[in-house]
């Protein structure tokens, strides 16, 4: 661990919009990220065409938003930059469709490196391959842009055929609002492996498992499910918000001394060296491609294990208890119409 911050971070003044001003961008997909990129680019003065299947349910939404819509191959043929914003699982098929439309000097751009890093997509050598990855759901990328704010992002260059891949990607990042907040330079390998590890070991897998285990421990000990839900699920947001705003130090400063002492003396007994060993094993499976192969085969088999696991999660008692409790409180009815629409887009699991 170094005391020096060596990662390069780019801001608005580092980006030259001329690298994208006279180019056409094809945004493939109109889900969480797709709708945000397309609208932000268009409002930044960039020529945008959205690529969607002819039977796509998103076509009407994109057209209602004032955007030009074509099939993915038609959009790619018209574009200088093709931004692949469909889900990872369908990207190889979409790429196979649009690959004949790519011309030397074009750019193939991603928001996640999975398919390139694990060789599910093999771009031709005469095109640039880049990544611009906002680090938030698309509805926040859009909302922050509309409020003249920015969303932090990542930038990576996998293939630099033209010699201008980095400058063009940075101009793209500026056009969607990321350089307002800061864009961190990385690589396809680093982004992919850290992203998968973070999701599996901490953000989605680790935290969800910790919440359920805590809930079950209290309920099995005879405490009410409602109290268990509040202490292990509901208050999680309060703690994470403190961490987000000021790191662990801000969290410790904000909780009671009793909570701080209890957390500092007991936390490592729960998430101990065995958890660290398990995390290292999870990371190794990401690094050597074990997880990628498992996920690819799962999709080829029509997701039998995935669907079974999802159903088991939905059937957990904590879900029923939480649904009932959330209906009791005023904030349950406080969602605005716009926020509901954004959340629907965020939840889209498969976009054209």
């Amino acid at each position: 661990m170094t005391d020096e911050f060596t990662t390069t971070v780019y801001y608005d003044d580092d980006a030259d919009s001329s690298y994208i001003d006279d180019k056409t961008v094809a945004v493939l997909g109109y889900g969480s990220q797709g709708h945000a990129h397309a609208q932000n680019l268009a409002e930044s003065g960039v020529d945008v065409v959205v690529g969607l299947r002819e039977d796509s349910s998103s076509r009407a939404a994109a057209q209602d938003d004032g955007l030009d819509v074509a099939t993915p191959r038609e959009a790619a043929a018209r574009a200088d930059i093709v931004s692949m914003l469909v889900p990872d699982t369908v990207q190889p098929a979409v790429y196979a469709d649009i690959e004949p439309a790519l011309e030397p000097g074009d750019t193939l751009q991603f928001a996640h490196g999975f398919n390139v890093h694990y060789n599910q997509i093999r771009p031709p050598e005469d095109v640039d391959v880049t990544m611009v990855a906002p680090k938030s759901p698309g509805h926040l990328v859009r909302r922050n842009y509309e409020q003249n704010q920015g969303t932090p992002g990542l930038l990576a260059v996998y293939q630099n055929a033209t010699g201008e891949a980095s400058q063009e990607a940075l101009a793209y990042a500026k056009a969607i609002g990321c350089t307002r907040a800061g864009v961190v330079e990385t690589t396809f390998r680093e982004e992919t492996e850290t992203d998968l590890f973070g999701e599996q070991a901490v953000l989605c897998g680790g935290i969800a498992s910790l919440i359920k285990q805590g809930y079950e421990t209290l309920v099995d000990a005879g405490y009410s499910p409602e109290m268990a839900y509040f202490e292990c699920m509901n208050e999680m947001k309060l703690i994470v918000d403190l961490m987000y705003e000021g790191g662990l130090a801000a969290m410790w400063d904000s909780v009671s001394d009793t909570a701080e002492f209890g957390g500092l003396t007991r936390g490592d007994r729960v998430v101990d060296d065995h958890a660290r060993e398990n995390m290292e094993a999870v990371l190794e499976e990401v690094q050597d491609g074990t997880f990628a192969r498992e996920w690819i085969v799962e999709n080829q088999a029509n997701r039998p294990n995935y669907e079974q696991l999802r159903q088991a999660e939905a059937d957990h008692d904590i879900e029923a208890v939480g649904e009932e409790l959330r209906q009791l409180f005023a904030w349950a009815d406080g969602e605005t119409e716009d926020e509901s629409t954004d959340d629907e887009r965020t939840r889209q699991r498969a976009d054209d």
Side-chain angles (χ1 to χ4, degrees):
M1 185 174 181
T2 179
D3 292 331
E4 297 182 1
F5 188 75
T6 57
T7 301
T8 301
V9 183
Y10 298 104
Y11 299 97
D12 274 353
D13 290 344
D14 301 308
D16 184 349
S17 297
S18 67
Y19 283 95
I20 198 175
D21 281 344
D22 60 347
K23 296 180 178 179
T24 297
V25 176
V27 174
L28 305 188
Y30 206 67
S32 175
Q33 290 293 331
H35 88 278
H37 287 230
Q39 292 182 50
N40 291 5
L41 287 165
E43 291 183 16
S44 292
V46 178
D47 183 33
V48 177
V49 55
V50 177
L52 297 169
R53 298 190 317 265
E54 291 183 350
D55 61 348
S56 168
S57 60
S58 297
R59 275 187 165 248
Q63 290 168 340
D64 289 345
D65 289 333
L67 295 165
D68 189 7
V69 180
T71 67
R73 184 179 293 193
E74 291 168 345
R78 290 168 49 183
D80 305 288
I81 302 169
V82 178
S83 190
M84 294 281 287
L85 297 179
V86 294
D88 292 335
T89 52
V90 300
Q91 279 188 15
V94 173
Y95 175 73
D97 178 47
I98 64 100
E99 183 180 21
L102 294 177
E103 297 180 353
D106 282 351
T107 296
L108 188 62
Q109 185 168 275
F110 297 83
H112 181 37
F114 184 97
N115 282 299
V116 172
H117 181 57
Y118 292 116
N119 297 313
Q120 298 306 294
I121 291 177
R122 298 175 184 268
E125 295 182 357
D126 56 5
V127 303
D128 290 343
V129 182
T130 61
M131 180 195 308
V132 176
K135 296 305 291 179
S136 85
H139 73 282
L140 290 180
V141 176
R142 178 61 182 154
R143 185 181 303 166
N144 288 341
Y145 181 93
E146 291 179 303
Q147 296 175 350
N148 293 317
Q149 298 174 355
T151 302
L154 304 178
L155 182 148
V157 175
Y158 181 83
Q159 195 164 277
N160 187 13
T162 66
E164 298 181 348
S166 181
Q167 297 95 318
E168 183 187 81
L170 197 54
Y172 182 106
K174 181 177 183 178
I176 64 172
C178 285
T179 52
R180 296 175 183 176
V183 174
V184 178
E185 189 173 51
T186 185
T187 65
F188 271 62
R189 174 181 176 272
E190 183 176 57
E191 184 276 336
T192 301
E193 294 180 359
T194 58
D195 184 75
L196 292 176
F197 172 80
E199 291 169 348
Q200 295 169 23
V202 182
L203 303 177
C204 302
I207 290 296
S209 181
L210 187 66
I211 289 171
K212 288 185 296 181
Q213 300 253 15
Y215 173 89
E216 291 167 3
T217 299
L218 288 177
V219 172
D220 289 347
Y223 298 99
S224 71
E226 292 79 11
M227 286 301 298
Y229 180 89
F230 270 117
E231 296 302 330
C232 297
M233 171 75 92
N234 185 72
E235 293 195 22
M236 179 64 70
K237 181 183 187 309
L238 307 178
I239 298 301
V240 171
D241 282 349
L242 293 171
M243 294 178 182
Y244 177 82
E245 293 166 4
L248 293 175
M251 184 273 289
W252 292 127
D253 285 343
S254 298
V255 301
S256 70
D257 291 348
T258 304
E260 182 176 10
F261 181 74
L264 290 172
T265 57
R266 268 66 175 175
D268 287 344
R269 288 170 54 184
V270 177
V271 184
D272 59 8
D273 289 342
H274 294 294
R276 175 64 178 269
E277 292 171 6
N278 290 333
M279 284 186 174
E280 290 172 352
V282 168
L283 178 58
E284 185 175 343
E285 290 179 356
V286 168
Q287 292 172 326
D288 66 16
T290 298
F291 170 76
R293 289 191 293 273
E294 181 182 336
W295 180 225
I296 291 165
V297 170
E298 179 73 16
N299 280 280
Q300 292 171 343
N302 203 27
R303 301 185 171 189
N305 296 322
Y306 174 71
E307 295 299 339
Q308 184 177 6
L309 290 167
R310 287 192 72 200
Q311 189 60 52
E313 283 289 280
D315 291 341
H316 194 285
D317 184 56
I318 198 172
E319 291 294 280
V321 172
E323 184 175 2
E324 291 180 3
L325 279 177
R326 290 190 296 270
Q327 298 304 315
L328 300 178
F329 299 100
W331 45 257
D333 298 322
E335 185 179 60
T336 66
E337 182 178 346
D338 288 344
E339 287 170 337
S340 177
T341 301
D342 285 337
D343 287 341
E344 282 183 19
R345 281 174 168 155
T346 303
R347 287 194 295 267
Q348 281 184 283
R349 308 190 71 84
D351 189 71
D352 308 273

